[in-house]
């Protein structure tokens, strides 16, 4: 049996979402009224904030004792 199948049988989608909630935040490029920005999102996909610079986004995440992960 594949690992993905085993995990899906043991954990619900909600369990998987909550897994990284207090550990990671995702940083991804977003467009705000035609301006290229970077959104910071919680592990469950909730938008936390938007900033104008990727380095600032990563620094903001780290200041909250979270691990930033880049999403393309």
């Amino acid at each position: 049996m594949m690992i993905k199948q085993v995990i899906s049988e043991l954990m619900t989608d909600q369990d998987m979402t909550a897994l990284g909630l207090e550990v990671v935040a995702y940083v991804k490029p977003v467009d705000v009224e035609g301006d290229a920005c970077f959104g910071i999102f919680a592990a469950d996909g909730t938008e936390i904030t938007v900033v104008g610079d990727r380095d600032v986004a990563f620094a903001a995440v780290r200041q909250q004792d979270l691990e930033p992960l880049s999403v393309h």
Side-chain angles (χ1 to χ4, degrees):
M1 187 176 278
M2 297 183 72
I3 292 173
K4 188 174 181 180
Q5 282 180 298
V6 172
I7 291 172
S8 67
E9 290 175 8
L10 296 174
M11 298 180 76
T12 66
D13 288 343
Q14 188 175 15
D15 292 336
M16 290 297 289
T17 299
L19 189 60
L21 200 54
E22 296 181 13
V23 181
V24 300
Y26 297 99
V27 176
K28 71 176 187 176
V30 295
D31 180 76
V32 177
E33 298 179 8
D35 292 327
C37 297
F38 290 86
I40 301 173
F41 297 85
D44 67 357
T46 303
E47 184 178 299
I48 297 171
T49 193
V50 175
V51 297
D53 182 87
R54 184 179 183 274
D55 291 336
V56 171
F58 271 65
V61 170
R62 287 188 178 112
Q63 283 179 340
Q64 299 303 312
D65 294 325
L66 299 171
E67 185 63 33
L69 298 175
S70 184
V71 179
H72 301 284

